[in-house]
Amino acid sequence: MQKIKITPFKENTYIKVICIITDVLAILYGGTYFYWMARRNSMVYENELTNFFAFFNPMTYGSYFLGITLLFHCYVLKNNFGKVIIGLLYVGSAIASLIAVMGMTGWTDLLMYVPHLFIIIAVSWVLYEKKDTSETVH
């Protein structure tokens, strides 16, 4: 009988390729978002980018996408530079989202930060677990 070898999640090439693709999409999205914020009044393509960000809201879906990409990157890849870049994009997007919420009136408006709390806890847990496993391997 032939044994089936199951590759671990962290060593699966397809998962790494998917992670790299989501990293590239996150960097493109985050870079475009911050470019749009900085140059919103003087851009030639303002209408197209405004329509794009009206559909993929940077305060909710876009920020959650960056956070999930950061979590995925921290779990699958060992690249610290990518963690820093995507982490900065996520933190910047979360801070911009917090600034946007400051003008809202009700406590229910803060519910949009519950996913951020889950993402931050999950990323911290993954980084803590990776730190523990890297120390025990040596």
Side-chain angles (χ1 to χ4, degrees):
M1 188 169 188
Q2 183 180 9
K3 288 188 175 185
I4 298 173
K5 182 180 178 185
I6 299 174
T7 55
F9 183 70
K10 293 181 182 177
E11 295 178 7
N12 194 340
T13 306
Y14 297 115
I15 298 297
K16 287 183 180 181
V17 169
I18 291 171
C19 184
I20 291 170
I21 290 171
T22 58
D23 287 351
V24 169
L25 290 175
I27 290 170
L28 287 174
Y29 180 83
T32 306
Y33 169 61
F34 287 111
Y35 178 75
W36 175 73
M37 279 180 36
R39 308 266 321 209
R40 192 172 37 205
N41 294 329
S42 63
M43 284 181 38
V44 176
Y45 301 109
E46 178 184 358
N47 193 27
E48 289 82 4
L49 284 177
T50 303
N51 291 338
F52 174 75
F53 289 122
F55 187 72
F56 294 109
N57 188 352
M59 303 304 161
T60 54
Y61 304 121
S63 187
Y64 303 151
F65 169 70
L66 290 172
I68 291 170
T69 302
L70 175 64
L71 176 64
F72 196 45
H73 183 93
C74 289
Y75 186 72
V76 175
L77 300 177
K78 297 177 183 177
N79 182 1
N80 289 329
F81 182 72
K83 290 177 193 175
V84 169
I85 296 296
I86 296 172
L88 287 174
L89 289 173
Y90 173 65
V91 168
S93 180
I95 288 172
S97 179
L98 178 64
I99 292 169
V101 169
M102 284 183 183
M104 296 184 182
T105 57
W107 283 100
T108 56
D109 296 332
L110 294 177
L111 287 177
M112 67 185 270
Y113 275 96
V114 173
H116 289 299
L117 292 175
F118 287 129
I119 290 170
I120 291 169
I121 290 169
V123 167
S124 300
W125 181 75
V126 165
L127 291 176
Y128 178 76
E129 288 295 319
K130 280 193 147 193
K131 181 182 153 237
D132 283 350
T133 57
S134 67
E135 288 177 357
T136 58
V137 171
H138 296 286

